[in-house]
Amino acid sequence: MKKVFTLLPLAVVCATQFAYAATDAERLAKLEQELAMLQEQSSYDSLADRMTINGFFTGKMVAANNDAGFDNATTTPNFADGSKLGLQGTFALTDQTQIVAQLVGRGSDDWTPEMEWAFLSHDFDNGFVTRVGRLRLPLYMYSDFLEVGYAQPWATPPADVYTIAPITSFNGVDVTYQHDLGDAILALQASYGNDSSSAEDNSVGTDVEFSDIAGLSATLSYEEWVFRGTYFQTDLSSADTGLPLLGAFENERAQFIGAGVSYDNGSLIAISEYTISKVEGAYADTESAYITLGYRVEAFTPYVSYSYLKTTDDEKRAASSVDTTLLTWQRSTYSVGTRYDISANLALKLDVTYAGDFGDTTGSLASNVSPAYANTQEFDDTIVYTISFDAVF
């Protein structure tokens, strides 16, 4: 019976096509012939041929020498934050059109699956590819691999740069144009859409709407080098944040500017990114950057990193001790670690990170705020230890 209903729409289409055939017998013969052709075609084009499923997994443990809260690490070993399981499915509608969906369950969210990607893409076969749906916000060099720890050299991406934006995905559309320039490849990507940030995921403690997210990123790949530039802007709206000077966001413009460069000759790895973020009003404007150097020695890739984060408009919050405490930041971060490739799809990473130079700020660590606000910080610095297993399958 199920097969009957499956073929019913096809039969209707074919019956319409041959509605004007000479006799009932001729119409029936042609209908049966067409159905046979469609059934044969379907047997060669199965769902298995059209669908691919890939996945990734990260099991991470972080611990620190105090409870400052960098990378959500405390003196109690944390196995939830940073641990994740992801599945990505691709279904090819045609040779040029496909549907892609990525589900990610995180230990910090009790492994509840969330849809990170869900889009339809079409390759126009002339260098242009467009996608519509839920997409990754392409702010950074590793944005497309943000969830896939195996694709990154670090145990954790440099937080001073990669935690500036409170959203990582958006609902909208993008268009990418790729063009060969001799030995170089240039990729231009334009994006537009909307998204929101829940109160627990941002530094102002209230839901924030991001409307008219629009931006352009350009990536130039030349031999061992990759150069990247990004500009994005959006309008912010929210209820009252409860912060005296900040109040509510009322369509206030936010801007993000990023630049990055990487070099990888198979042995030496060098990666650096620089970002500027600006928001109208009293919310923090920031400047941040990092540089990572690594060197592959057989299965080992030891690396060192330096990064910093600081706010650049502290004078706007000078009249409010509460706003100054929560939205004025400064810190420097040093990391040393190594990646060990156990097999072609499994890596073990060890990392020790020191974060300090907080000045009179909390170091942008929400759990490092003194309850009295008079002394804004509980800790002057922190050391975080990380062990991470990353796999792709």
mmCIF file of all heavy atoms in Angstrom, residues 197-231:
data_model
loop_
_atom_site.group_PDB
_atom_site.id
_atom_site.type_symbol
_atom_site.label_atom_id
_atom_site.label_comp_id
_atom_site.label_asym_id
_atom_site.label_seq_id
_atom_site.Cartn_x
_atom_site.Cartn_y
_atom_site.Cartn_z
ATOM 1 N N SER A 197 20.760 36.958 20.952
ATOM 2 C CA SER A 197 21.632 36.407 21.985
ATOM 3 C C SER A 197 20.847 36.360 23.285
ATOM 4 O O SER A 197 20.253 37.370 23.697
ATOM 5 C CB SER A 197 22.881 37.277 22.156
ATOM 6 O OG SER A 197 23.636 36.865 23.273
ATOM 7 N N SER A 198 20.821 35.200 23.924
ATOM 8 C CA SER A 198 20.082 35.082 25.171
ATOM 9 C C SER A 198 20.869 35.689 26.323
ATOM 10 O O SER A 198 22.090 35.876 26.241
ATOM 11 C CB SER A 198 19.758 33.620 25.461
ATOM 12 O OG SER A 198 20.941 32.868 25.565
ATOM 13 N N ALA A 199 20.170 35.989 27.393
ATOM 14 C CA ALA A 199 20.772 36.707 28.514
ATOM 15 C C ALA A 199 21.991 35.990 29.093
ATOM 16 O O ALA A 199 22.980 36.625 29.467
ATOM 17 C CB ALA A 199 19.719 36.917 29.604
ATOM 18 N N GLU A 200 21.945 34.654 29.132
ATOM 19 C CA GLU A 200 23.056 33.926 29.737
ATOM 20 C C GLU A 200 24.288 33.835 28.843
ATOM 21 O O GLU A 200 25.351 33.398 29.285
ATOM 22 C CB GLU A 200 22.611 32.509 30.123
ATOM 23 C CG GLU A 200 22.098 31.671 28.981
ATOM 24 C CD GLU A 200 20.594 31.782 28.800
ATOM 25 O OE1 GLU A 200 20.016 32.778 29.277
ATOM 26 O OE2 GLU A 200 20.002 30.883 28.212
ATOM 27 N N ASP A 201 24.153 34.282 27.578
ATOM 28 C CA ASP A 201 25.271 34.172 26.653
ATOM 29 C C ASP A 201 25.946 35.500 26.348
ATOM 30 O O ASP A 201 26.797 35.578 25.461
ATOM 31 C CB ASP A 201 24.795 33.547 25.325
ATOM 32 C CG ASP A 201 24.366 32.103 25.491
ATOM 33 O OD1 ASP A 201 24.908 31.439 26.390
ATOM 34 O OD2 ASP A 201 23.491 31.652 24.732
ATOM 35 N N ASN A 202 25.554 36.573 27.029
ATOM 36 C CA ASN A 202 26.211 37.853 26.760
ATOM 37 C C ASN A 202 26.551 38.550 28.072
ATOM 38 O O ASN A 202 26.145 38.100 29.146
ATOM 39 C CB ASN A 202 25.341 38.744 25.862
ATOM 40 C CG ASN A 202 23.999 39.065 26.495
ATOM 41 O OD1 ASN A 202 23.941 39.621 27.584
ATOM 42 N ND2 ASN A 202 22.910 38.689 25.805
ATOM 43 N N SER A 203 27.283 39.653 27.970
ATOM 44 C CA SER A 203 27.824 40.308 29.165
ATOM 45 C C SER A 203 26.883 41.326 29.770
ATOM 46 O O SER A 203 27.237 41.949 30.775
ATOM 47 C CB SER A 203 29.148 40.992 28.803
ATOM 48 O OG SER A 203 28.949 41.908 27.738
ATOM 49 N N VAL A 204 25.680 41.538 29.188
ATOM 50 C CA VAL A 204 24.765 42.535 29.734
ATOM 51 C C VAL A 204 23.578 41.908 30.452
ATOM 52 O O VAL A 204 22.756 42.614 31.026
ATOM 53 C CB VAL A 204 24.256 43.492 28.625
ATOM 54 C CG1 VAL A 204 25.412 44.290 28.060
ATOM 55 C CG2 VAL A 204 23.549 42.722 27.526
ATOM 56 N N GLY A 205 23.459 40.595 30.413
ATOM 57 C CA GLY A 205 22.457 39.902 31.211
ATOM 58 C C GLY A 205 21.032 40.062 30.760
ATOM 59 O O GLY A 205 20.096 39.920 31.580
ATOM 60 N N THR A 206 20.790 40.363 29.494
ATOM 61 C CA THR A 206 19.428 40.434 28.962
ATOM 62 C C THR A 206 19.449 39.985 27.507
ATOM 63 O O THR A 206 20.501 40.021 26.853
ATOM 64 C CB THR A 206 18.868 41.866 29.071
ATOM 65 O OG1 THR A 206 17.479 41.858 28.746
ATOM 66 C CG2 THR A 206 19.588 42.809 28.125
ATOM 67 N N ASP A 207 18.281 39.562 27.009
ATOM 68 C CA ASP A 207 18.214 39.121 25.620
ATOM 69 C C ASP A 207 18.483 40.299 24.681
ATOM 70 O O ASP A 207 17.968 41.405 24.898
ATOM 71 C CB ASP A 207 16.837 38.534 25.307
ATOM 72 C CG ASP A 207 16.572 37.261 26.110
ATOM 73 O OD1 ASP A 207 17.538 36.714 26.682
ATOM 74 O OD2 ASP A 207 15.414 36.820 26.153
ATOM 75 N N VAL A 208 19.269 40.052 23.648
ATOM 76 C CA VAL A 208 19.628 41.105 22.698
ATOM 77 C C VAL A 208 19.303 40.612 21.282
ATOM 78 O O VAL A 208 19.648 39.497 20.912
ATOM 79 C CB VAL A 208 21.126 41.468 22.781
ATOM 80 C CG1 VAL A 208 21.483 42.548 21.761
ATOM 81 C CG2 VAL A 208 21.491 41.921 24.187
ATOM 82 N N GLU A 209 18.622 41.464 20.506
ATOM 83 C CA GLU A 209 18.313 41.159 19.115
ATOM 84 C C GLU A 209 19.351 41.810 18.195
ATOM 85 O O GLU A 209 19.689 42.989 18.374
ATOM 86 C CB GLU A 209 16.914 41.674 18.748
ATOM 87 C CG GLU A 209 15.788 41.030 19.544
ATOM 88 C CD GLU A 209 15.626 39.555 19.192
ATOM 89 O OE1 GLU A 209 15.881 39.197 18.023
ATOM 90 O OE2 GLU A 209 15.257 38.774 20.092
ATOM 91 N N PHE A 210 19.829 41.033 17.227
ATOM 92 C CA PHE A 210 20.782 41.538 16.238
ATOM 93 C C PHE A 210 20.051 41.594 14.897
ATOM 94 O O PHE A 210 19.804 40.559 14.273
ATOM 95 C CB PHE A 210 21.992 40.613 16.128
ATOM 96 C CG PHE A 210 22.830 40.538 17.368
ATOM 97 C CD1 PHE A 210 22.416 39.794 18.466
ATOM 98 C CD2 PHE A 210 24.027 41.227 17.451
ATOM 99 C CE1 PHE A 210 23.181 39.732 19.618
ATOM 100 C CE2 PHE A 210 24.806 41.174 18.597
ATOM 101 C CZ PHE A 210 24.376 40.416 19.685
ATOM 102 N N SER A 211 19.692 42.790 14.461
ATOM 103 C CA SER A 211 18.949 42.929 13.201
ATOM 104 C C SER A 211 19.846 43.525 12.123
ATOM 105 O O SER A 211 20.811 44.245 12.413
ATOM 106 C CB SER A 211 17.718 43.815 13.402
ATOM 107 O OG SER A 211 18.087 45.086 13.869
ATOM 108 N N ASP A 212 19.498 43.211 10.875
ATOM 109 C CA ASP A 212 20.260 43.720 9.719
ATOM 110 C C ASP A 212 21.751 43.433 9.861
ATOM 111 O O ASP A 212 22.594 44.320 9.685
ATOM 112 C CB ASP A 212 20.022 45.230 9.538
ATOM 113 C CG ASP A 212 18.588 45.529 9.157
ATOM 114 O OD1 ASP A 212 17.959 44.690 8.493
ATOM 115 O OD2 ASP A 212 18.094 46.608 9.539
ATOM 116 N N ILE A 213 22.070 42.197 10.197
ATOM 117 C CA ILE A 213 23.482 41.780 10.188
ATOM 118 C C ILE A 213 23.945 41.765 8.739
ATOM 119 O O ILE A 213 23.365 41.072 7.893
ATOM 120 C CB ILE A 213 23.644 40.376 10.796
ATOM 121 C CG1 ILE A 213 23.148 40.338 12.239
ATOM 122 C CG2 ILE A 213 25.096 39.922 10.722
ATOM 123 C CD1 ILE A 213 23.090 38.928 12.828
ATOM 124 N N ALA A 214 24.958 42.553 8.434
ATOM 125 C CA ALA A 214 25.442 42.634 7.055
ATOM 126 C C ALA A 214 26.952 42.760 7.068
ATOM 127 O O ALA A 214 27.516 43.462 7.918
ATOM 128 C CB ALA A 214 24.817 43.823 6.326
ATOM 129 N N GLY A 215 27.608 42.069 6.151
ATOM 130 C CA GLY A 215 29.055 42.161 6.135
ATOM 131 C C GLY A 215 29.666 41.526 4.922
ATOM 132 O O GLY A 215 29.003 40.864 4.123
ATOM 133 N N LEU A 216 30.963 41.735 4.818
ATOM 134 C CA LEU A 216 31.737 41.211 3.694
ATOM 135 C C LEU A 216 33.068 40.698 4.228
ATOM 136 O O LEU A 216 33.699 41.349 5.066
ATOM 137 C CB LEU A 216 31.989 42.317 2.663
ATOM 138 C CG LEU A 216 32.842 41.952 1.453
ATOM 139 C CD1 LEU A 216 32.100 40.951 0.560
ATOM 140 C CD2 LEU A 216 33.200 43.205 0.660
ATOM 141 N N SER A 217 33.473 39.542 3.772
ATOM 142 C CA SER A 217 34.799 39.017 4.106
ATOM 143 C C SER A 217 35.519 38.655 2.824
ATOM 144 O O SER A 217 34.899 38.229 1.841
ATOM 145 C CB SER A 217 34.692 37.803 5.037
ATOM 146 O OG SER A 217 34.002 36.757 4.400
ATOM 147 N N ALA A 218 36.821 38.835 2.835
ATOM 148 C CA ALA A 218 37.660 38.531 1.676
ATOM 149 C C ALA A 218 38.823 37.665 2.117
ATOM 150 O O ALA A 218 39.501 37.989 3.107
ATOM 151 C CB ALA A 218 38.163 39.819 1.034
ATOM 152 N N THR A 219 39.057 36.569 1.408
ATOM 153 C CA THR A 219 40.153 35.656 1.733
ATOM 154 C C THR A 219 40.998 35.432 0.496
ATOM 155 O O THR A 219 40.484 35.055 -0.565
ATOM 156 C CB THR A 219 39.618 34.305 2.230
ATOM 157 O OG1 THR A 219 38.771 34.521 3.361
ATOM 158 C CG2 THR A 219 40.760 33.382 2.636
ATOM 159 N N LEU A 220 42.304 35.666 0.633
ATOM 160 C CA LEU A 220 43.251 35.458 -0.460
ATOM 161 C C LEU A 220 44.222 34.358 -0.049
ATOM 162 O O LEU A 220 44.931 34.503 0.955
ATOM 163 C CB LEU A 220 44.015 36.749 -0.776
ATOM 164 C CG LEU A 220 45.060 36.636 -1.886
ATOM 165 C CD1 LEU A 220 44.382 36.388 -3.239
ATOM 166 C CD2 LEU A 220 45.928 37.901 -1.942
ATOM 167 N N SER A 221 44.241 33.278 -0.815
ATOM 168 C CA SER A 221 45.144 32.155 -0.535
ATOM 169 C C SER A 221 46.232 32.134 -1.594
ATOM 170 O O SER A 221 45.943 32.097 -2.806
ATOM 171 C CB SER A 221 44.370 30.831 -0.561
ATOM 172 O OG SER A 221 43.297 30.855 0.369
ATOM 173 N N TYR A 222 47.491 32.160 -1.140
ATOM 174 C CA TYR A 222 48.626 32.151 -2.060
ATOM 175 C C TYR A 222 49.707 31.243 -1.497
ATOM 176 O O TYR A 222 50.291 31.542 -0.451
ATOM 177 C CB TYR A 222 49.174 33.565 -2.262
ATOM 178 C CG TYR A 222 50.430 33.608 -3.110
ATOM 179 C CD1 TYR A 222 50.357 33.354 -4.476
ATOM 180 C CD2 TYR A 222 51.669 33.879 -2.534
ATOM 181 C CE1 TYR A 222 51.506 33.380 -5.253
ATOM 182 C CE2 TYR A 222 52.822 33.911 -3.305
ATOM 183 C CZ TYR A 222 52.733 33.651 -4.661
ATOM 184 O OH TYR A 222 53.878 33.664 -5.431
ATOM 185 N N GLU A 223 49.894 30.096 -2.146
ATOM 186 C CA GLU A 223 50.853 29.091 -1.707
ATOM 187 C C GLU A 223 50.649 28.797 -0.217
ATOM 188 O O GLU A 223 49.569 28.374 0.177
ATOM 189 C CB GLU A 223 52.273 29.548 -2.043
ATOM 190 C CG GLU A 223 52.479 29.684 -3.555
ATOM 191 C CD GLU A 223 53.892 30.067 -3.934
ATOM 192 O OE1 GLU A 223 54.668 30.473 -3.057
ATOM 193 O OE2 GLU A 223 54.215 29.944 -5.138
ATOM 194 N N GLU A 224 51.653 29.042 0.644
ATOM 195 C CA GLU A 224 51.508 28.706 2.067
ATOM 196 C C GLU A 224 50.803 29.783 2.867
ATOM 197 O O GLU A 224 50.601 29.639 4.074
ATOM 198 C CB GLU A 224 52.889 28.448 2.698
ATOM 199 C CG GLU A 224 53.615 27.223 2.177
ATOM 200 C CD GLU A 224 54.453 27.531 0.957
ATOM 201 O OE1 GLU A 224 54.456 28.719 0.542
ATOM 202 O OE2 GLU A 224 55.093 26.629 0.400
ATOM 203 N N TRP A 225 50.411 30.877 2.202
ATOM 204 C CA TRP A 225 49.862 32.027 2.921
ATOM 205 C C TRP A 225 48.349 32.120 2.738
ATOM 206 O O TRP A 225 47.818 31.811 1.675
ATOM 207 C CB TRP A 225 50.497 33.325 2.401
ATOM 208 C CG TRP A 225 51.951 33.460 2.700
ATOM 209 C CD1 TRP A 225 52.987 33.061 1.909
ATOM 210 C CD2 TRP A 225 52.538 34.030 3.870
ATOM 211 N NE1 TRP A 225 54.183 33.339 2.504
ATOM 212 C CE2 TRP A 225 53.940 33.943 3.721
ATOM 213 C CE3 TRP A 225 52.030 34.607 5.028
ATOM 214 C CZ2 TRP A 225 54.819 34.405 4.686
ATOM 215 C CZ3 TRP A 225 52.906 35.078 5.988
ATOM 216 C CH2 TRP A 225 54.288 34.976 5.817
ATOM 217 N N VAL A 226 47.691 32.610 3.788
ATOM 218 C CA VAL A 226 46.273 32.965 3.707
ATOM 219 C C VAL A 226 46.097 34.336 4.367
ATOM 220 O O VAL A 226 46.546 34.547 5.503
ATOM 221 C CB VAL A 226 45.366 31.933 4.415
ATOM 222 C CG1 VAL A 226 43.903 32.397 4.388
ATOM 223 C CG2 VAL A 226 45.489 30.563 3.766
ATOM 224 N N PHE A 227 45.487 35.254 3.631
ATOM 225 C CA PHE A 227 45.211 36.585 4.153
ATOM 226 C C PHE A 227 43.690 36.771 4.188
ATOM 227 O O PHE A 227 42.983 36.359 3.260
ATOM 228 C CB PHE A 227 45.842 37.668 3.264
ATOM 229 C CG PHE A 227 47.318 37.517 3.080
ATOM 230 C CD1 PHE A 227 47.829 36.751 2.033
ATOM 231 C CD2 PHE A 227 48.202 38.130 3.954
ATOM 232 C CE1 PHE A 227 49.196 36.608 1.853
ATOM 233 C CE2 PHE A 227 49.573 37.991 3.781
ATOM 234 C CZ PHE A 227 50.075 37.223 2.733
ATOM 235 N N ARG A 228 43.214 37.422 5.254
ATOM 236 C CA ARG A 228 41.758 37.550 5.394
ATOM 237 C C ARG A 228 41.393 38.898 6.011
ATOM 238 O O ARG A 228 42.067 39.391 6.925
ATOM 239 C CB ARG A 228 41.219 36.439 6.292
ATOM 240 C CG ARG A 228 39.720 36.491 6.533
ATOM 241 C CD ARG A 228 39.292 35.345 7.428
ATOM 242 N NE ARG A 228 37.920 35.455 7.864
ATOM 243 C CZ ARG A 228 36.867 35.083 7.159
ATOM 244 N NH1 ARG A 228 37.048 34.547 5.974
ATOM 245 N NH2 ARG A 228 35.656 35.227 7.615
ATOM 246 N N GLY A 229 40.337 39.510 5.499
ATOM 247 C CA GLY A 229 39.793 40.744 6.063
ATOM 248 C C GLY A 229 38.290 40.633 6.172
ATOM 249 O O GLY A 229 37.626 40.021 5.322
ATOM 250 N N THR A 230 37.715 41.213 7.240
ATOM 251 C CA THR A 230 36.279 41.084 7.499
ATOM 252 C C THR A 230 35.717 42.389 8.028
ATOM 253 O O THR A 230 36.345 43.062 8.859
ATOM 254 C CB THR A 230 36.020 39.982 8.553
ATOM 255 O OG1 THR A 230 36.571 38.761 8.098
ATOM 256 C CG2 THR A 230 34.526 39.798 8.781
ATOM 257 N N TYR A 231 34.531 42.748 7.543
ATOM 258 C CA TYR A 231 33.792 43.867 8.133
ATOM 259 C C TYR A 231 32.328 43.453 8.266
ATOM 260 O O TYR A 231 31.728 42.962 7.301
ATOM 261 C CB TYR A 231 33.874 45.128 7.287
ATOM 262 C CG TYR A 231 32.965 46.224 7.815
ATOM 263 C CD1 TYR A 231 33.375 47.020 8.873
ATOM 264 C CD2 TYR A 231 31.697 46.419 7.288
ATOM 265 C CE1 TYR A 231 32.536 48.006 9.390
ATOM 266 C CE2 TYR A 231 30.846 47.392 7.790
ATOM 267 C CZ TYR A 231 31.272 48.185 8.842
ATOM 268 O OH TYR A 231 30.442 49.148 9.360
#
